[in-house]
Amino acid sequence: MAKVNALVLRAAGVNCNEETAYALQLAGADSAEQIHVNRLIEKPAELDRFGFLVVPGGFSYGDDISAGKILARQIELHLGEAMSRFIEAGKLVLGICNGFQVLVKAGLLPGLKPATAGTVTLTSNDSGKYEDRWVHLTPASKHNIFLPASRDPIYLPVAHGEGKLAVREPGVLDALRAADLVAVRYCDAAGAPAAGQFPANPNGSLDDIAGLCNPSGQVFGLMPHPERHVLPTQHPQWTRRGLGEADGLQVFRNGVEFLRGR
Amino acid sequence: MIYRIEIVPKGESDPVGAAAGNEIRLLGIDAVKKVSAGRIFLLEADPADLPRPQAERIAADLLADPVVEQFHIGPTRLGARPQKGGPSPFSKQAEEGAGPLLLIEVFYKPGVMDPVALSTQQAIADMGLKVASIRTGRIYQITTAKKLSDAQIRTISGKVLANECIEQAIVGSAGEAAPPHAPSHEFKLRHIDIRGLNDEQLVELSARGHLFLNVTEMQTIQAYFRKIGREPTDIELETLAQTWSEHCVHKTLKSRVDFSGPDGHRTYENLLADTIAAATKKLNKPWCISVFKDNAGVIEFDDTHAVCFKVETHNHPSALDPYGGAATGIGGCIRDPMGTGMGAKPVANTDIFCFAPPDTPASDVPKGVLHPRRVMRGVVSGVRDYGNRMGIPTVNGAIFFDDRYLGNPLVFCGNVGLMDRGKCFKHQQAGDAIVVVGGRTGRDGIHGATFSSGELTHTHEDEFSHAVQIGNAITEKKMADVLDQARDRDLYNAITDCGAGGLSSAVGEMGEELGATVNLETVPLKYAGLSYTEIWISEAQERMVLAAPQAKVKELLALFASEDVEATVIGTFTGDKKLKLFYKDEAVGEIEMKFLHDGLPKYVRKAEWKPDFGLRIADCGLKDQKVAAVQSEIRNPESEMDYSEALLRLLGHYNIASKEWVVRQYDHEVQGGSAVKPLVGVANDGPGDGAVFTPVLGSRKGVALACGLSPRLGDLDPYQMALHAIDECVRNLVCVGADFGRIAILDNFCWGNCSKPDRFGSLVLAAQACHDGALAYGTPFISGKDSLNNEFVTDDGRVITIPPTLLISGIAIVPDVTGCLTMDAKAAGNVLVVVGETQAALAGSHYELTDGGTGRRGDGETTKVDLAVGPQTARAVADAIAKKLVRSAHDVSEGGLAVAISEMAFAGGLGVDADLAKAPAQSATPESILFGESPSRYLLEVEPGKLADLDKALAGIPHAVVGAFTATGRVELKLAGKPAIAAGSAELKQAWQSPLNWK
C-alpha cells in the first residue's frame, strides 16, 4: 500500500496547523509534516515528497488586505508550477477556512476552465463580524473525494469573518452547479437547505455554499473546520448525547484512503 | 510621488458601512441615511521604480478583490465635495435619497503602527516591485437626509469613525500625503540637576517628567547621586521611574501597613507577603512549581507537562483607545506565559471586563470619557482581533457592569501556557548575548508603566495619547512560532517579555544578578528620530528579550530570519552587577543593579475601614440628580411582589444577561482542545460555568478555567466580597468536573486611589480574606497583579472611584475530560437538588438592583461565606460528580436560585417544577430564597435512581430535592405549595438573551 505523507502548510499567521496535523495522524496518515511556506518557496520541489497538501486555517499575514490574499499571491507567484504538477499527479489538496480562502484567491478553486481566478471569492459575513458557531452541512458533490454527496448532514464549527461566497456574475454559479463543484452546503439539522437564513447559513453565502471542489474532486476547500471535530469531546453537546463518532474525521480519512489505494 | 488607490464595494453588500451607520444613528443623528465604506492605500514611490501600470497591477492583483470590489487610482470619485450631493459610484440608491453627501477619510496618525501597511509592503516586495512607504486608510461616504451641523460631523468623525487618540479624520477627501520621514535623532546627552533641589522642587521634577515618583523616592534617588558625586542623566532617572513604578513593583501591596478596622488595629510588614503569598507558603502544595516569581505562576499538569497562568489588566489604555488598549492587553498577557520559565506555548485566553452600563445616557458621560457602549464594542473587537489572530482559544470570561466604571473601564486579560516540566526555570549566564526579537521599537507606549500607575483625568486623553499602543498580532504569532523551535533546540538560556517599562524593565530584571551592557543604537527602530531614552523605555508591542550563549547566537539569528522575524543582539549580560547603557559608544547611563532593584524605599501606608466607607466613596462620584433618582427607587415594602416579573427583570439585567454576542466573536475552539465550551446546552447557547480544554492533543487530561468576582459586595463588606469571589470561582470549577484538590487561583486587585486610607482599607480587608479563603479552600494563589488608582476626576471636579474589584481566576486539573459536566438540564424526570443553605441577607444582591430595590445604596448585612462549610460543600459536590452521580451541575450566583434554575431549564430546552421552600435555608424570606445570592450553593440534576448514592456522597452537607425537570417547557417555582413564579422557558430565555444581543 502506498505511504501517505501529508504536508500541512505554515505561514505567518496560520494557526490551525497543529490540530490539522493531529487530525491527519488520527485518520491514518503515515506522516504529517508542518512546513513553512518560505521553505517551499526556497525549494518548490519539496512539494513532490508529499501526496496530501493541507492549507490550514488561521489568519495568514493577518488577513491584511483581505482574507488569504497575501498567501494566495505567494503561491501563485512562487509555487504555481509545483502546484500544477502536484494536482496533475493526482494528489490531494485540502483548504480549510483561511486555507479555502487561499485556494480560491490563488485560482486553484473552483478550477473551472478557462482559468477561474477572479470569478469567485469569499468576502465579509453579512453579520459584519467574526463568529464561531456550529453548523450543519450537506455534502453535495459526487466528485468530491473528501466528502462525497450524501443525504446525512454533518456537524462542524465555523469560525470566520469572511466566509460569504460571492461570484462575479450569476453565470458563474450556474457553471459551478453544472460542473458539480458545490461540495458542501449549509443546511438545518434535518438536512433541509438553509436557504440563506441565519444562523443555519452563518455568513449569507450564495446558494448556501460552504465549500467547493475542483472538477476532479482532488482539490477541496471549505469554510467549516473538520479538524475541530475529530474527537467526540469536541462536539458541543457531547454531555447530552454521549460520546459518538466525530464527523470531521471522515474528511481526512477519505483523503488518506484514496491516496492509500492509488 | 503618491499613488492614491481607492477601493469600494461593487454591489450592495457593505457590512462595514452598515455597522458604522447603525452606530451613528444610535448617537441620535437620524439624518444619516446610509454609510458606505471603502479602503484607501497611499503608495509612495519613485515613478522610475513604480510606473503607473505597475501601480495598477498592485491594485488589481493584490489590493482589490475583483469579484466584489472596484478600484481606481487618483483623487476620490465618491460624490463631489462634502455636503454638495452628487451621484455616487458606491451605490445607485444613494442618489435617490437626494440628501447631501459627506465624505470622511480616516488615517492612522504618523508613527502609529499600521499592520496592514506592513503586510502590504511585504506582499508588494514579493511581486518584485518597490514602494518607499505605504499608508492605509478608510473612506466613508455618508448619505444624509439634510445638512448636518458641524457638531454632528465632529461627533461622527470623532466618536464613530475615528479614534482621535491614534487616528486623524479628514472631512472631505484630501488624499492625505504619506507622513514626512522622521528626522534622525541628534544625539545630545542630557543631565538632570537633582542634587541641589529641595523637596518641593523634587516633587515638581517628578510631575514635570511624568515620573510618578513621590518625594521619598525622589529623595532616595537624590541621595544616591549625591553619594556617587554626579547628576543623573535623563535615561537613568527614567530607568528608576520605570523600575520603581507601581505597575512594575507593586509597592502599595508590598508596603508596610498600619490598618485600623472594625476589629481594631493590625500591622502588616509586607501586605502581599503576609497575606496572599503567606497562604501559598503555608499550603505548600507539591504541585506548585513556580509561584509569584516569574511572569506567570506554574503548576504541574501531567508527568511531562506543566501549565502556567497569568491574568493582567490593561485598564488605562483601554479607557483611551478601547480597541488598541484591549488588543495590546491580550497581546501583552500572552507574552507572560511565553516569557515564563524557558517559555510556554499559549493555549487559552480568558477575558473579564467591567464597564458602565451600555445604555448610560450620553449626557452622563463626562468630558474626556468615551461612551461605555463604544468602550465595550472596542474592547471586545480588540480582544477578538488579537486573540483570534494569535490562534489562541478564548474560552472563559465575564462582563460586569456598574456606573462607576464610566471613567475607568477594567479589562482583565488572562493566558494559560503549556510547557515542559523540565523547562520551568531560566538560567541566564554572564557572557550571554542580549537578544531582542519580534517587533521593532517605536515611540508607542512611552510612559505606559508610569501612566498606568496614576489617576486618569479628563486631560489625560491628550497628554498620554502616546501611552497607547497598537498591536500587530501577526508579528507576535510569528515570533511565538519561532520561539517554540528555538526553545526546543536549546538556543537560549532565558527569556522574558518586553512589557511595561520596555527594554528598561526586561533587561533590568533579567540582568538583576548579573549586570548588563546595552548598545541602544543597535535596537531596530520603526522609524528614525528616537532618542536613546525613548528607545530604552518604549513599550512597543510584540518584543521579547532572550539571553543566548554566544556560541549559539548565529544559529538563533538564522532561525528567526528563516521565518521573517527580526532578532538582534543589543548587548551582553556582564557579571559586573551594573547596568551600563551606551549610545553610539557614548556612555549615557550607569546604575548599580543593587540600587535599581533594592533601592526603592519601603512604603508605610495607613489603611482604615469602617462599614459606611464603601457607600460614601461610591456616592461622591455621582451627579446630584443621580443620587436623587436612586433614592426615589427605594423599595416600598408594602407593595405587592410579582416574582415572575422580578425574575424577568433579573434575567435581563446586564450582569446576568447572555453574553453570547461577545463569546461568539471569539474563536473558542482553535487548537482543538475544547471539551466544555463557554456556551452549552441543546441550542449551544446556555451559560456555561467554566471551560475545559485538553492542552495536549491526544490526551484526555484537561484544564478547567473559571473566575469569580463580586464588586457589589465590596461597598459593604470587602472581606466577604473577596471570599464570595473565591467561593464562586471554586463553584464554577467544581460544576464542570474539576479536581477539587487541584485548584490554583490568581488575584487581580483593581481599586481606587490607595494612597487614600479608606480605599486602601478595603483592599487590606480583601487581601486578608484572600489569605483566609485560600487556606480554607486549599487553593494556593500562584500569581497576581494589581491596578490601583482607578479613579476619574471629571472636569467639574467629581471623583468617580470604581467599586473595589477583586477578580479571582481559577485554574484546575481535570483528570479525564469525559467525566465533565455542563449546566444544561438533560432530561425530563430527573430531579433537581439544591445543595447549600440559603441565608436571609439581600444587601448587594442583584434583586436589590432590579426590583425597585435600593439600587447601589443597598446596605445592611451581606451574605457570609462560612470558611468551614464552603470548602466542605465544594469537596462533597466534586466527589459526587467524580462518582458520576450527577447529570448536570450549575453554580448559583447572580440572581439566586430562581435565575440559576431557569438557566438550567432553558439551556436544556426543558421545563422545571420545584418547591423552593424545600431548599435548605436559615430563616430566609421568600425574596432571599428565590433571588438571594448566598454563596456555597449548587444545583444538581440527578437521575432518580442515583439519589440514594447522592445522599451518601453529600452526607453532612445541607441539601434537598426541590422538584424535577419537566417536558412542559414551563418554569414553575412554588413556595410551600403556593405558586411564586410561572413562566415559559422560552420567554425567560428571550428576556435573558435580548439585552446584549447586539447587531
Side-chain angles (χ1 to χ4, degrees), chain B residues 851-871:
Chain B
D851 197 54
T854 51
R856 77 160 75 252
R857 300 188 56 85
D859 50 12
E861 286 289 295
T862 69
T863 53
K864 302 272 190 287
V865 172
D866 182 316
L867 287 177
V869 173

Side-chain angles (χ1 to χ4, degrees), chain B residues 338-573:
Chain B
M338 284 169 62
T340 295
M342 290 294 277
K345 174 191 166 200
V347 292
N349 287 333
T350 160
D351 295 288
I352 292 88
F353 311 133
C354 299
F355 301 125
D359 57 358
T360 301
S363 56
D364 286 359
V365 178
K367 186 165 180 268
V369 168
L370 298 172
H371 191 276
R373 187 180 165 98
R374 176 137 191 250
V375 173
M376 179 165 161
R377 272 192 186 272
V379 165
V380 169
S381 307
V383 167
R384 172 194 69 200
D385 287 354
Y386 207 103
N388 292 354
R389 274 172 173 69
M390 282 300 290
I392 301 167
T394 296
V395 298
N396 181 249
I399 306 180
F400 195 88
F401 297 91
D402 187 289
D403 291 340
R404 288 168 285 162
Y405 296 117
L406 193 56
N408 294 89
L410 304 183
V411 174
F412 301 89
C413 298
N415 183 267
V416 179
L418 178 74
M419 59 207 301
D420 281 352
R421 291 270 296 265
K423 295 200 169 171
C424 294
F425 297 95
K426 313 176 201 296
H427 44 92
Q428 60 269 41
Q429 312 284 324
D432 283 355
I434 303 173
V435 183
V436 61
V437 302
R440 290 188 162 205
T441 298
R443 205 167 270 131
D444 34 358
I446 303 256
H447 282 138
T450 47
F451 156 70
S452 75
S453 307
E455 274 175 43
L456 281 179
T457 70
H458 66 280
T459 58
H460 263 123
E461 193 180 11
D462 308 321
E463 285 172 26
F464 280 90
S465 62
H466 54 273
V468 173
Q469 310 134 7
I470 300 294
N472 187 349
I474 296 312
T475 302
E476 182 144 312
K477 172 67 175 149
K478 286 197 296 190
M479 173 172 72
D481 289 351
V482 185
L483 282 172
D484 273 348
Q485 302 168 54
R487 179 195 56 233
D488 293 347
R489 279 156 65 170
D490 260 332
L491 296 181
Y492 58 84
N493 288 335
I495 180 168
T496 196
D497 74 307
C498 217
L503 291 169
S504 159
S505 293
V507 175
E509 280 170 31
M510 203 185 264
E512 182 175 350
E513 306 293 328
L514 296 171
T517 294
V518 178
N519 302 306
L520 291 162
E521 77 283 358
T522 58
V523 175
L525 302 182
K526 289 177 182 169
Y527 34 80
L530 270 71
S531 74
Y532 57 88
T533 303
E534 288 173 316
I535 295 169
W536 183 235
I537 65 170
S538 161
E539 295 176 10
Q541 295 290 303
E542 289 99 23
R543 300 176 303 162
M544 309 270 303
V545 172
L546 306 178
Q550 298 291 348
K552 294 183 177 171
V553 165
K554 203 175 152 198
E555 187 183 349
L556 182 81
L557 298 186
L559 177 63
F560 277 94
S562 77
E563 297 197 2
D564 309 319
V565 181
E566 268 190 300
T568 312
V569 175
I570 62 163
T572 316
F573 289 110

Side-chain angles (χ1 to χ4, degrees), chain B residues 760-828:
Chain B
F760 197 32
S762 68
L763 188 145
V764 170
L765 281 171
Q768 182 62 45
C770 285
H771 169 268
D772 300 352
L775 281 185
Y777 286 83
T779 53
F781 282 95
I782 57 170
S783 179
K785 191 93 186 178
D786 55 273
S787 162
L788 309 179
N789 295 317
N790 287 289
E791 303 198 353
F792 187 89
V793 185
T794 66
D795 56 344
D796 57 0
R798 287 177 293 129
V799 179
I800 307 179
T801 305
I802 64 161
T805 307
L806 171 66
L807 171 69
I808 298 289
S809 305
I811 182 168
I813 306 299
V814 177
D816 179 345
V817 296
T818 63
C820 284
L821 293 187
T822 54
M823 53 68 69
D824 47 307
K826 303 298 187 298

Side-chain angles (χ1 to χ4, degrees), chain A residues 126-255:
Chain A
D126 277 352
S127 66
K129 59 180 183 283
Y130 181 103
E131 280 204 322
D132 177 340
R133 61 168 69 245
W134 283 66
V135 293
H136 294 278
L137 299 163
T138 307
S141 168
K142 290 193 292 293
H143 302 296
N144 184 5
I145 287 162
F146 299 86
L147 210 53
S150 157
R151 279 197 190 157
D152 299 329
I154 63 169
Y155 197 42
L156 298 177
V158 289
H160 61 248
E162 296 179 45
K164 176 186 177 173
L165 188 128
V167 295
R168 197 171 56 193
E169 65 262 329
V172 176
L173 178 60
D174 297 335
L176 293 175
R177 286 169 165 168
D180 195 20
L181 304 186
V182 176
V184 274
R185 282 198 175 89
Y186 299 111
C187 62
D188 70 12
Q197 292 302 302
F198 182 85
N201 177 334
N203 49 35
S205 204
L206 181 72
D207 195 28
D208 297 330
I209 296 173
L212 297 171
C213 60
N214 74 345
S216 69
Q218 294 161 260
V219 182
F220 173 40
L222 74 170
M223 288 313 300
H225 285 272
E227 84 285 6
R228 294 189 186 181
H229 193 193
V230 297
L231 297 169
T233 48
Q234 290 166 335
H235 192 294
Q237 295 172 30
W238 71 266
T239 59
R240 303 183 68 80
R241 296 155 173 254
L243 298 167
E245 170 81 355
D247 286 352
L249 194 56
Q250 56 186 300
V251 172
F252 302 95
R253 200 182 273 150
N254 289 339

Side-chain angles (χ1 to χ4, degrees), chain A residues 21-40:
Chain A
Y22 176 69
L24 285 159
Q25 281 159 11
L26 271 185
D30 296 285
S31 70
E33 286 182 52
Q34 301 169 43
I35 296 181
H36 197 279
V37 68
N38 285 0
R39 303 293 80 72
L40 290 186

